[in-house]
């Protein structure tokens, strides 16, 4: 492996770990897109967090949802958060 390749790996990290994180992200994203009707019926006008391919928390206010994630020990940067409503807003946190 060339020194340039070593430099790139030092920046991006282990390719296998990155691959797994991307697969986890894809699975979690599918949580929100797979059954929109159910999500809308169950969590309308709520903030919802998904992690590891499943819904892990919900709350009426974003600060409360973040607090719940902290209490569950789920890193905020590892959770996907959406506001569930007919006119949904998407935030990347």
């Amino acid at each position: 492996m060339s020194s340039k390749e070593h430099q790139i790996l030092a920046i991006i990290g282990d390719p296998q770990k990155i691959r797994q994180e991307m697969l986890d992200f894809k699975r979690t994203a599918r949580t929100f897109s797979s059954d929109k009707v159910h999500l809308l019926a169950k969590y309308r006008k709520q903030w919802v967090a998904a992690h590891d391919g499943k819904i892990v928390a919900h709350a009426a206010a974003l600060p409360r949802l973040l607090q719940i994630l902290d209490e569950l020990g789920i890193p905020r940067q590892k959770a996907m958060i959406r506001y569930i409503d007919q006119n949904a807003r998407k935030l990347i946190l």
Side-chain angles (χ1 to χ4, degrees), residues 2-88:
S2 72
S3 65
K4 188 72 165 175
E5 289 171 326
H6 280 291
Q7 289 174 338
I8 292 170
L9 286 176
I11 293 169
I12 66 169
D14 178 28
Q16 291 300 323
K17 183 178 179 191
I18 293 169
R19 180 181 183 278
Q20 187 58 52
E21 288 176 356
M22 293 302 292
L23 290 172
D24 292 344
F25 178 85
K26 185 177 179 181
R27 185 167 38 105
T28 299
R30 237 183 275 129
T31 302
F32 285 115
S33 62
S34 64
D35 193 358
K36 293 178 185 178
V37 173
H38 171 74
L39 288 172
L40 194 55
K42 189 169 183 177
Y43 302 110
R44 182 182 297 260
K45 298 197 182 274
Q46 293 187 58
W47 289 95
V48 177
H51 175 68
D52 233 5
K54 60 185 179 287
I55 302 296
V56 293
H58 60 93
L62 181 58
R64 176 64 184 133
L65 179 66
L66 296 174
Q67 181 183 17
I68 294 169
L69 287 175
D70 293 343
E71 291 168 0
L72 293 172
I74 298 171
R76 294 176 181 189
Q77 69 272 21
K78 298 281 185 177
M80 190 174 291
I81 297 173
R82 297 261 324 254
Y83 183 75
I84 305 298
D85 199 3
Q86 291 286 12
N87 303 315

